[in-house]
Amino acid sequence: MAFTATILSWSVLEYGPAMEKAGQLASAKNSIKWITDYLIKAHAAPNVLYFQVGNASTDHKCWYRPEDGGSIARPSLVLNTTLPGSEVAAETAAAMAAASMVFRSTDATYADTLVAHAQQLFNFSDTYQASYSETIPEFQDYYNSTGYGDELLWGATWLYYATGDNTYLAYVTGANGEKFADWGVFPSWFSWDSKRPAVQVLLARLQMLKPPTNAVNTVSKGLTDYKTTADGLMCAFLPGSPTASTDRTKGGYIWLNEWSALQHGINSALLASFYSDYLVAAKSSGITCSGKSFTHAQLRAFASSQANYVLGNNPLSTSFMVGYGEKHPKYLHHRGASIPVDQIKTDCAHSWGWYDSKEPNPNIAYGAVVGGPFKNETYTDARTNIMQNEASVYTSAAFAGLSAGLVGSSSNSVPISWI
């Protein structure tokens, strides 16, 4: 949820005017604030963060609507100095720092509150470095972490943008950059678990649009390394590049794994959209991939191709967004969507009737993006097909940003006032 807020905030910062033109900016900001209000409550003390309500194993035993699950035990899980979790604390710091910039012009007091929480949470994550899925091993079956170094860089980067405090810039470009940034390693794939590609793009943004004056050598070198690595990442995205990633379907979609497969193409496209606009704003001719030149327009075309694939321009001629297009998922794996609004609550044992129903969902979850096809581009629209037919808020948030980016014109420089 924190990652969702960070992505949506970044998208509002870059593409707010496009969202406003579409009548969606207020909705986007309300969605962010719904999350950050909750995260403020969850951050009960400087080194205390409640990060989950409920037990995954218990919750999965009943097919209840969320509002009907009151009889199920809902334990609260907490991170503290005894049970630390750097990924969650640093991502929550990033969410609050990014959101503070969204609200700075309209509610400075709220923005200051978010920054204060972000700074405390980042200090907690950095001082007590540990992986939450090692601290609490039960998470390895659901949202297992591959490491916390990327979240530390992500949190510090957003705090630098939110505060202008050079301490955070020194953090990401100095020893911690050397340790965690994987400079020169690409492609890497942006997701709720891996923030390195986005850190590279965010700091390449700084290098291109407003490099710090009188920076010490380590900062200058670090920013150059981020920019070089970000260029390499874009080269991996571009299908015509000599270093193009082969991790894609025959239809041209970036594909990494079977669970929530569409997230990687959407996230890659969002980064490419950002980068294309940064190149325009920097008046750059483009990037070079092993001697071959590519323009911002080609990056934008890649981003558009991934979005169009999701919306139906794929070998199956099906939209993977619920409620969009002539052919779209009707059996989303989603409790609220599958149970009629007037259905009287049943006990847990009898709740699975709606899960097993052969009828389409009675409630349409407009805009939800399903997990998506396998690499061979097969897909089964079934409520029981959790791997391919489950939605996620973090994928929807990224697609909202991507959509806003693509409806605008890359010939217009993006605002850089929030640097």
Side-chain angles (χ1 to χ4, degrees):
M1 187 61 74
F3 176 63
T4 297
T6 313
I7 293 303
L8 200 52
S9 294
W10 189 3
S11 298
V12 168
L13 290 169
E14 300 292 21
Y15 299 135
M19 291 183 180
E20 187 169 31
K21 187 176 181 180
Q24 294 298 312
L25 180 59
S27 178
K29 293 174 74 172
N30 286 340
S31 295
I32 295 166
K33 193 171 186 298
W34 189 95
I35 298 173
T36 52
D37 283 352
Y38 183 88
L39 296 178
I40 288 172
K41 296 175 184 178
H43 184 215
N47 296 332
V48 176
L49 178 64
Y50 287 87
F51 71 104
Q52 179 170 299
V53 177
N55 177 278
S57 297
T58 301
D59 288 352
H60 279 77
K61 292 178 181 178
C62 295
W63 191 256
Y64 281 158
R65 292 171 295 202
E67 61 268 29
D68 291 340
S71 61
I72 303 175
R74 308 288 290 172
S76 296
L77 300 182
V78 64
L79 298 174
N80 51 39
T81 57
T82 303
L83 295 170
S86 295
E87 304 95 331
V88 182
E91 179 59 72
T92 307
M96 291 186 170
S100 76
M101 291 185 285
V102 171
F103 298 109
R104 174 66 61 190
S105 63
T106 56
D107 192 342
T109 300
Y110 187 67
D112 288 342
T113 297
L114 290 173
V115 168
H117 280 280
Q119 290 174 321
Q120 289 182 355
L121 283 164
F122 180 76
N123 290 338
F124 172 41
S125 66
D126 188 41
T127 303
Y128 299 92
Q129 293 188 15
S131 173
Y132 83 105
S133 57
E134 292 181 2
T135 298
I136 309 176
E138 67 189 73
F139 287 99
Q140 294 174 16
D141 291 334
Y142 293 93
Y143 283 87
N144 188 38
S145 172
T146 56
Y148 57 79
D150 54 317
E151 277 84 11
L152 292 176
L153 298 177
W154 180 240
T157 298
W158 278 113
L159 274 164
Y160 171 72
Y161 273 113
T163 66
D165 186 342
N166 286 323
T167 302
Y168 296 113
L169 185 59
Y171 184 97
V172 298
T173 55
N176 292 289
E178 295 280 358
K179 184 177 182 180
F180 297 127
D182 283 351
W183 290 324
V185 177
F186 41 78
S188 55
W189 305 104
F190 184 34
S191 72
W192 63 267
D193 178 48
S194 176
K195 317 298 163 46
R196 284 183 183 85
V199 172
Q200 292 155 7
V201 168
L202 269 175
L203 292 173
R205 181 193 202 277
L206 183 66
Q207 174 78 333
M208 286 191 280
L209 302 184
K210 196 175 179 181
T213 57
N214 302 318
V216 297
N217 289 338
T218 53
V219 170
S220 296
K221 179 184 180 301
L223 289 178
T224 299
D225 288 338
Y226 280 113
K227 171 65 167 62
T228 300
T229 308
D231 281 354
L233 178 65
M234 297 300 128
C235 291
F237 292 163
L238 291 164
S241 164
T243 54
S245 171
T246 58
D247 292 319
R248 61 188 85 212
T249 68
K250 289 183 178 179
Y253 194 82
I254 295 291
W255 197 97
L256 273 295
N257 54 47
E258 295 177 333
W259 284 95
S260 298
L262 290 175
Q263 67 172 310
H264 298 290
I266 292 171
N267 292 344
S268 298
L270 179 61
L271 294 184
S273 179
F274 286 150
Y275 213 71
S276 171
D277 289 336
Y278 300 161
L279 290 170
V280 173
K283 296 180 172 57
S284 171
S285 59
I287 59 174
T288 301
C289 306
S290 297
K292 187 175 180 179
S293 296
F294 293 87
T295 66
H296 70 87
Q298 288 169 293
L299 275 174
R300 191 174 179 80
F302 161 75
S304 182
S305 74
Q306 303 298 285
N308 289 338
Y309 186 102
V310 173
L311 297 178
N313 187 10
N314 55 62
L316 296 173
S317 297
T318 185
S319 165
F320 295 111
M321 177 180 283
V322 177
Y324 183 89
E326 293 184 5
K327 183 181 178 184
H328 63 83
K330 304 291 176 56
Y331 297 86
L332 177 70
H333 179 88
H334 188 284
R335 286 162 169 77
S338 67
I339 302 174
V341 294
D342 58 354
Q343 171 63 27
I344 298 174
K345 178 185 173 182
T346 62
D347 59 59
C348 188
H350 294 90
S351 66
W352 292 95
W354 297 111
Y355 176 81
D356 294 325
S357 171
K358 302 303 180 183
E359 296 298 318
N361 288 346
N363 309 309
I364 301 175
Y366 287 100
V369 178
V370 298
F374 292 140
K375 193 171 186 180
N376 65 1
E377 291 172 314
T378 59
Y379 164 76
T380 301
D381 181 17
R383 196 175 298 113
T384 55
N385 185 7
I386 305 174
M387 187 177 289
Q388 292 188 307
N389 235 30
E390 189 172 34
S392 63
V393 291
Y394 49 83
T395 301
S396 291
F399 200 87
L402 175 59
S403 300
L406 292 176
V407 299
S409 172
S410 193
S411 62
N412 297 322
S413 298
V414 294
I416 60 172
S417 58
W418 58 274
I419 291 184

